[in-house]
Amino acid sequence: NAAGAKHGVSPKLLAAVAKVESGYNPKAVSPAGARGLMQIMPGTAKGLGVSDAFDPAQAVDGAAKLLAGNIKEFGSLDLAIAAYNAGGGAVKKYKGVPPYAETQAYVPKVKAALAALGG
């Protein structure tokens, strides 16, 4: 809630991303190296001011900052979610949700989790 309020992002959206990214596991590590509750890549974490992606408070704050920037940049929840998964560069390159199978599946998963949370 605090990170959502600080960055102007729905706490339910943050919860939905956490559910899809890590199943709410703050110790999760992906095969690609994404870490923590919000599955933030080390380089991305550094840029967001997250020194410990395994710390849920830092991870959620970093994710809120990233999502807020994506929403502002792309003006669409779908594109903001896609950029969270595939990166903003990919969204710009394809002028929409990138044609990656993972991202194509990711956006509806997050939106379904958001809907299940009443968001």
Side-chain angles (χ1 to χ4, degrees), residues 88-96 100:
V91 172
K92 286 180 203 160
K93 177 180 176 181
Y94 292 103
K95 298 178 175 54
Y100 313 141

Side-chain angles (χ1 to χ4, degrees), residues 4-27:
K6 178 179 173 185
H7 297 288
V9 175
S10 161
K12 289 178 181 174
L13 175 59
L14 294 169
V17 169
K19 182 179 193 299
V20 173
E21 286 289 348
S22 69
Y24 301 122
N25 179 358
K27 295 181 175 17

Side-chain angles (χ1 to χ4, degrees), residues 6-108:
K6 178 179 173 185
H7 297 288
V9 175
S10 161
K12 289 178 181 174
L13 175 59
L14 294 169
V17 169
K19 182 179 193 299
V20 173
E21 286 289 348
S22 69
Y24 301 122
N25 179 358
K27 295 181 175 17
V29 179
S30 79
R35 298 177 176 165
L37 187 65
M38 306 305 284
Q39 290 292 279
I40 301 173
M41 292 295 284
T44 303
K46 197 175 204 176
L48 293 169
V50 175
S51 60
D52 181 3
F54 294 112
D55 172 18
Q58 283 191 48
V60 173
D61 188 74
K65 187 175 184 180
L66 182 58
L67 282 163
N70 290 349
I71 291 166
K72 184 176 180 185
E73 181 173 358
F74 298 110
S76 151
L77 184 59
D78 284 15
L79 296 182
I81 293 168
Y84 190 92
N85 178 260
V91 172
K92 286 180 203 160
K93 177 180 176 181
Y94 292 103
K95 298 178 175 54
V97 177
Y100 313 141
E102 179 185 332
T103 307
Q104 292 281 325
Y106 181 80
V107 174

